[in-house]
Every structure is written in structure tokens, then in C-alpha cells.
Amino acid sequence: MKLVVLVKHVPDEIVDRPSSAAVFAADMTVDRAQLTGRLSEADEYAVEQAMRIARRRLDVQITAVTMGPPEAIRTLTRALALGADEGVHIVDEALHGSDAQATSRVLAAALARCGFDLVICGVASTDSGMSVVPAMVAERLGVPSVCEADGVWADPGWADGDVIVARREDGDHVEDFAVPMPAVVSVTDRVGEPRYPAFQAIVEARQKTVRTWSLANLRIPADEVGLAASASPVRRVAPHAARRPALLVDGEPDAAAARLARHLTEHQLI
Amino acid sequence: MRPVLVLVEGAERDGGASAAGGADGAVRASAFRLLTLARRLGDPVAVVCHPVAAYGVDALARFGAARICVAEPADPDGKDTAAQSAVALEALTELAWQMDASAVLVPSGRLGREVAARLAVRLGGGIVTGAVDVRPGPDGPVAVQEVCGGTYRVESAVRGGTPVIAVDTGAGEAEPDPVDPVVERMFVSVAESSRRVRRLARRPKADRRPGVAGASVVVAGGRGVGSAEGFTLIEKVADALGGAVGGTHTAADRGWCPQDALIGQTGAVVHPRLYLACGISGSVHHRAGMHHAATIVAIDTDPDAPIFRIADVGVVGDLHDVLPALLAAIARQRAAERGGPTP
Ligand SMILES: Cc1cc2nc3c(=O)[nH]c(=O)nc-3n(C[C@H](O)[C@H](O)[C@H](O)COP(=O)(O)OP(=O)(O)OC[C@H]3O[C@@H](n4cnc5c(N)ncnc54)[C@H](O)[C@@H]3O)c2cc1C
Ligand SMILES: Nc1ncnc2c1ncn2[C@@H]1O[C@H](COP(=O)(O)O)[C@@H](O)[C@H]1O
């Protein structure tokens, strides 16, 4: 069974930068050169979900795929340390500034090239967090998808063996879905905490195979992706006026709490 | 003017908390905000993919839905949520092509995003999610997003024949503009890839407190709460205010609060009237899930915690002292309102 995990390289923490110049570059994209990157947290759960499937059956091969700048190799190495068997790095200067359309197109092409039974994604990247790439990839590949699953099972005992079962919460209900493979799922952090990789696994990760593909390798014309082809060009970025609290209370707890309770009552909040 | 399609979400069959009216045939209030925005861009067309009652139609008409298309599956086999999104996808695709719509607006929840994602691939234009505002621009709609937990406002032009915009409908007001609607029915056949997702089971979760989704008051705790026992204090305050209990990634991770109480980028995104953040520094992850709350109150020992930058009311202090004092103060006030003796 071929599992592919889509992993994104994201800037570490971009919120507490003093000005937008430190976060956004002149072309109004996130200035990744100024920020250190890492494997998007949501995608660590995707790798963990793949590992949970792999621990229950013997025939599983896990490929981690990322589309990202040269530094994104760090993200792949991390995914390999967390348990993926091999990596694919799609890197091409022309991809800078790609929108969700271009990203899903490139990822779908890579999946078509490497083949898959099940694609596992994170729910949302920690930088732009659109939560659309998994379903867009599925649509391009013409396969079913279950987004935001809280758990996925692909046990050989199930039905014909080529069906996965995905569970997710819907308001105050829990739902189980059966989906024939090939399919795409995105998983939440309820699938379970990723195991912290042992030192041995980190060392071994450097020995695993990483294939590097360019746009030409995927037969995608460079002028159809990237910033210039973006269908949602950013016109303006402005820091949202950082407002100080309208009311700041400190001092002795009883007095502070009484002040707070009065404020909440006056504003009819309680 | 070219038509603008609006996806109307229905109330769950068994009546979700966030459903307007909570009964079958009702429509969710998200549609009213979408119609308000759609009117700025063109002629709104409401697309409904569930059985809708007369009062649902009336509600849509009050917000300017001059045309209402009610879509049903041609083979009446699926009535579950998976099928609702499948029907929505087919109906919106067909109508966007047929009417040469200038944009499609959907609510930003899971269903809306799933529909938006597949629809955008079919229509080939731009896609934007989490828009807090939409207005006409020189070459198509302009969408406003708040990124990095509300730190920046980003304005993007959304290009392509029919751009798809998922709107965070809790971030703005709906304004009425009553019309006499024309109601049409349409039948769609669902794509094989959607039909292959089969729902095996649906069962209620057992929980006594309101869940964070749709709650009007949320009391949330973070690292500063310190322990699972500490969370009973958060629960007491939530119960006193009739609110839901929420938690940060740290709190959920350590099992101090249930996983489904997680608020943030990978958890729930909430829009309560009142958000009480206790011992929460305010990471981007967390802020992404709560910065749209109408009023944010933060209690934290660290006066430089980022949460204070988005809070309306900040209390610098130890939550273990402030919250019991707050409970006492609220009890005193309530007793005074009733005219009884103050404890
Ligand atoms: C602030 C900001 C706002 C943006 N707004 C828009 C916009 O409105 N419209 C638009 O089209 N684009 C937008 N973009 C560009 C957007 O980041 C990229 O298109 C991105 O590739 C797709 O979205 P995402 O990261 O939000 O993915 P999501 O849909 O949130 O990602 C979900 C999952 O898909 C997989 N995945 C996503 N990207 C990759 C990747 N590169 N490699 C491997 N796996 C991946 C991962 O498993 C991930 O967990 C924006 C970018 C930024 C920084
Ligand atoms: N007893 C406490 N009461 C209030 N805030 C606290 C307390 N102890 C720690 N904190 C704050 O809790 C925050 C940790 O939140 P987080 O980083 O979101 O997990 C930090 O800002 C601390 O300053």
C-alpha cells in the first residue's frame, strides 16, 4: 500500500515581527528568506497518521512530498525522521508566489507521477491556512476525499482491504465514512501526538532517498504557475492597527476582578 | 449586472446549535451576510442544497435573494452531509457556467471550503478563503483577509472567469434589503468521486456543556492554568457565564481539556460575543481561532503577552487569584440585582 504525505515548509513564527517589512517581501509574498522554516505542525500529524497505518500492516511504503524552496529539504528530513521512507522535493524558482491553484496542480502532477493509494494531508498549513489544497488535489485527480478527519483506519481486515474508514466530528455528532482507495484525506491533530524521533531515526533520515523534481520533470509550463500567474494577486498589505486594550486592569486581584465584573455587566456581556 | 452565486447552508436534520430556527427547512444565518456582500458585486442568486421551508425562503428574500435555486440530487440516494456538499458542488458548477456568474460566495466552514476547493478547480479562477470583507474592484472582486492571527490585513484581487470566495461570515454584519424572490428547482447528478464516500454511522457525542462551536460565551485556558485540576476553575467560570470551555494547543495536548475544546488554527474557529482568555499568551495558532470574538478579555501574569494586543479588556494578574474573585464578584452582583442579601 502506497501512502503519500503532503508536507509544507512554513515560517516558524511570523506573528511577533515588529513591522510588515519583516514578514512580507517587496512582491508582497511572505519573505521566507528572512524567516527560519519548519515542517508545518499540522503536517506532523499527517505523518503520524501514516505511521499509525504503517504500524498495523506490513505492506506500507510512505513517501513525503513537499513543494518548497531549497530550504524545504529540512522539512523533508524532519518527515523522514518521523517515519517516512522516502522524500520528493519539488523545487523550481518559477514556483515562488504560487497560489492554491498552482500549488494543487503541481502536487497533483507529482502524485500522478509517483502513484498512490492514499494521500494524507494536514488540515491547514500554519502560514496561510486556507484548508483547500487537499480537496483541490483530489478534484484534479478525480478521487474522493474526506477533509478534517480525526482518525483514519486502513486495516487489512476491513471489507476488501482497499477501503479506508475515516472518522470525524460534526458539531455534536461523530461520523464514520468508508472511502474506496485511491483517495485523499486531511487529518486533524486528534489523530494523536507524533512520536518524538529517536536520535537513531534522525541520523537514518539523512540516509533516505530524496528525489528532486523541477517543473520540467512534471511537464508543467513555468509561466502557468508562480507569482505572475496567480489568480489572487495581493494588492495591499497593512498591519492591522495594534490596539492596546481599551481597559487595562492590574493590582490587587479582588479589586481587579470587581472592576472586570462591573465592566462586563455595564457592557451587557454577562 | 452579472449574477453572483451564494451557497446557502441548511440546518442539520437534527438541528444544530448554530442553525437559524434549528428546525428542518431553515437556513443558516451565514447566508444573510453572504447575500449582503453579493449585492455589492452583482445580482445575488441563492443556491440551496437541502429541503427549504417557506420561512427559509422568506428569510433569504429579506436579505435580497431575488433568485433562489433549490438543487436536489437526480437520484435521491444521499441525504447526509457528504451528499449536501456534493449536490452543492454540482449545482454551483452548472449555474456558474450557465449564468456566467461573476463570483461564487460560500461560508468559510468545512463544508464551504470543501465545495470551494473543488469548484475552483472546475472553474479555473482564483480562490480566496477566510475573507472578512468583499467589494467590487476594477478587474473583479477584491477580498480582504486578516492573516497571521489578525496582525495584517491583506487585500487581494480575485481573478478568473468566476472567482470563488469563502467568507468568514461572523466577521461582519448582514443588512436586509427585501425583494420578491423567484424560486426555481434544479436536479443535479453527483460526480462518482463524491458518491463513493459512504457514511457508515452517525451518533451523538455525550456532553453536557455547550461545545465551543456556536457558543456565545467561551472561557478558555492555556499554559498558565498549569494543570488538569486547574481547569476545573475554568469550567466553574464557564458554567457561571453559561459558556463553553475552550483551550489552547498546550492545554489540549496535555489533556487538561478535551481535544474538541481546542481553539486555534488546527482546532475550532469561534466567534463568540465574549471570549475570556485565561493564562493564554496568544500564539498565532491560538489567535487564528479566536481573534474575531466581539469582546476579548485576557487575564495573564505577563503584561507583555501578545494576547493583550488584541484584547479589549486586559487584567494583569494570576488567574488563580483573579478567577475566584471574579466568581465571587459575579455572585455578589447577581444577588444585588435580585435585591437579596449580598454574600
Ligand atoms: C498570507 C497568505 C495569504 C494567501 N492567500 C491566498 C489566497 O487567498 N488564495 C490563494 O490561492 N493563495 C493564497 N496564498 C498562497 C497559498 O499559501 C499557497 O497557494 C499555498 O500553496 C496553498 O495554501 P495553504 O498553504 O493555505 O494550504 P492548505 O490548504 O491550508 O494546506 C493543507 C495541506 O495541504 C498540503 N500542502 C499545502 N501546500 C503544500 C506544499 N507546498 N507542499 C506540500 N504540501 C502542501 C499540506 O498537507 C497542508 O497541510 C496565500 C499565502 C499567504 C502567505
Ligand atoms: N498563574 C498564571 N496566571 C495567568 N497567566 C499565567 C500564569 N502562569 C503563566 N501564565 C501565562 O500563561 C501564558 C502561557 O500561555 P501559552 O504560551 O499560550 O501556553 C504565558 O503568557 C504566561 O505568562
Side-chain angles (χ1 to χ4, degrees):
Chain A
M1 179 183 181
K2 217 163 167 176
L3 296 186
V4 180
V5 186
L6 298 183
V7 292
K8 186 176 180 186
H9 186 71
V10 298
D12 223 346
E13 270 263 302
I14 49 183
V15 71
D16 296 318
R17 295 289 170 131
S19 76
S20 63
V23 174
F24 297 95
D27 62 3
M28 296 202 232
T29 62
V30 168
D31 192 348
R32 293 178 200 265
Q34 282 206 46
L35 301 156
T36 52
R38 52 161 297 182
L39 167 61
S40 177
E41 201 176 303
D43 300 346
E44 289 188 359
Y45 294 96
V47 180
E48 176 60 19
Q49 176 63 70
M51 289 304 292
R52 283 179 189 226
I53 292 171
R55 278 183 213 121
R56 299 182 67 145
R57 44 193 292 170
L58 297 169
D59 59 340
V60 176
Q61 158 90 1
I62 305 174
T63 307
V65 174
T66 195
M67 166 185 132
E71 310 84 76
I73 189 71
R74 287 184 50 185
T75 279
L76 273 185
T77 311
R78 176 78 185 168
L80 295 171
L82 286 170
D85 300 301
E86 55 160 20
V88 170
H89 187 185
I90 308 152
V91 52
D92 199 308
E93 261 172 41
L95 282 168
H96 169 70
S98 288
D99 63 359
Q101 288 283 14
T103 304
S104 62
R105 180 172 172 191
V106 171
L107 293 172
L111 286 163
R113 178 159 176 188
C114 64
F116 63 93
D117 293 304
L118 181 63
V119 180
I120 307 178
C121 307
V123 160
S125 67
T126 37
D127 57 350
S128 45
M130 295 179 70
S131 296
V132 293
V133 167
M136 290 180 83
V137 166
E139 179 69 20
R140 286 177 186 278
L141 296 166
V143 301
S145 56
V146 176
C147 293
E148 304 183 28
D150 300 315
V152 177
W153 293 266
D155 300 345
W158 275 101
D160 324 329
D162 56 358
V163 170
I164 59 148
V165 172
R167 172 168 302 163
R168 79 178 174 201
E169 285 182 12
D170 180 45
D172 45 10
H173 284 72
V174 179
E175 299 182 316
D176 286 338
F177 297 93
V179 191
M181 288 188 271
V184 175
V185 295
S186 73
V187 295
T188 69
D189 51 11
R190 284 178 218 162
V191 301
E193 280 308 300
R195 297 189 179 181
Y196 192 79
F199 180 69
Q200 190 62 24
I202 296 171
V203 174
E204 278 168 15
R206 299 188 197 288
Q207 258 76 69
K208 293 180 179 171
T209 318
V210 172
R211 282 178 284 169
T212 305
W213 290 342
S214 66
L215 281 171
N217 295 141
L218 294 173
R219 298 193 190 140
I220 294 175
D223 60 349
E224 290 178 14
V225 294
L227 195 57
S230 171
S232 51
V234 173
R235 288 287 157 78
R236 216 162 74 88
V237 175
H240 204 25
R243 50 187 171 120
R244 293 299 308 176
L247 174 67
L248 190 65
V249 190
D250 54 9
E252 194 265 323
D254 283 332
R259 180 78 192 81
L260 174 58
R262 216 165 47 241
H263 180 92
L264 295 177
T265 312
E266 277 162 14
H267 290 80
Q268 297 183 328
L269 289 165
I270 58 176
Chain B
M1 277 202 291
R2 284 165 71 192
V4 179
L5 304 180
V6 162
L7 173 61
V8 178
E9 274 191 278
E12 307 284 275
R13 268 187 305 164
D14 21 28
S18 53
D24 259 353
V27 298
R28 288 203 187 184
S30 60
F32 310 148
R33 171 70 179 159
L34 295 180
L35 286 166
T36 304
L37 295 174
R39 296 197 314 255
R40 298 183 190 163
L41 305 176
D43 298 326
V45 178
V47 182
V48 186
C49 304
H50 63 283
V52 60
Y55 58 86
V57 169
D58 290 346
L60 294 172
R62 230 179 359 261
F63 289 89
R67 266 179 94 171
I68 300 173
C69 294
V70 183
E72 291 167 49
D75 55 303
D77 144 38
K79 286 220 176 65
D80 52 21
T81 1
Q84 203 187 93
S85 66
V87 172
L89 173 64
E90 303 302 336
L92 291 170
T93 309
E94 173 55 25
L95 293 172
W97 285 106
Q98 205 184 82
M99 298 182 172
D100 186 28
S102 62
V104 181
L105 306 185
V106 305
S108 229
R110 182 177 64 209
L111 180 118
R113 284 196 306 262
E114 226 171 312
V115 172
R118 285 181 179 266
L119 183 63
V121 168
R122 293 184 181 192
L123 300 177
I127 174 168
V128 163
T129 58
V132 293
D133 202 10
V134 182
R135 53 166 195 272
D139 47 359
V142 172
V144 182
Q145 292 163 292
E146 287 177 0
V147 304
C148 306
T151 321
Y152 299 105
R153 270 176 99 88
V154 172
E155 293 188 10
S156 324
V158 204
R159 290 202 288 237
T162 308
V164 180
I165 304 173
V167 179
D168 190 340
T169 54
E173 297 297 320
E175 290 144 28
D177 180 16
V179 288
D180 263 334
V182 177
V183 182
E184 299 154 56
R185 291 177 77 191
M186 69 185 286
F187 293 90
V188 298
S189 66
V190 167
E192 186 55 29
S193 60
S194 319
R195 223 197 318 253
R196 282 171 28 209
V197 179
R198 213 158 29 90
R199 188 162 72 183
L200 298 175
R202 177 177 165 88
R203 54 186 179 281
K205 281 194 302 195
D207 239 344
R208 56 189 181 87
R209 244 178 237 112
V212 288
S216 71
V217 175
V218 175
V219 183
R223 192 189 303 274
V225 174
S227 63
E229 299 76 66
F231 245 79
T232 54
L233 187 54
I234 303 291
E235 288 164 9
K236 273 190 205 144
V237 177
D239 290 344
L241 302 181
V245 171
T248 61
H249 205 284
T250 309
D253 250 20
R254 302 189 178 181
W256 299 348
C257 67
Q259 279 292 336
D260 58 14
L262 173 65
I263 291 168
Q265 185 129 34
T266 57
V269 175
V270 297
H271 301 90
R273 214 157 40 81
L274 173 65
Y275 193 90
L276 189 55
C278 310
I280 293 175
S281 62
S283 65
V284 207
H285 176 282
H286 187 69
R287 286 156 63 174
M290 48 67 76
H291 71 100
H292 290 309
T295 299
I296 298 171
V297 176
I299 304 173
D300 201 292
T301 44
D302 175 7
D304 296 323
I307 191 81
F308 286 129
R309 275 185 251 149
I310 60 163
D312 301 285
V313 183
V315 179
V316 181
D318 190 323
L319 67 96
H320 299 101
D321 302 327
V322 176
L323 290 181
L326 179 65
L327 283 170
I330 293 170
R332 263 198 313 275
Q333 277 186 4
R334 288 191 176 151
E337 276 162 28
R338 285 195 302 269
T342 47

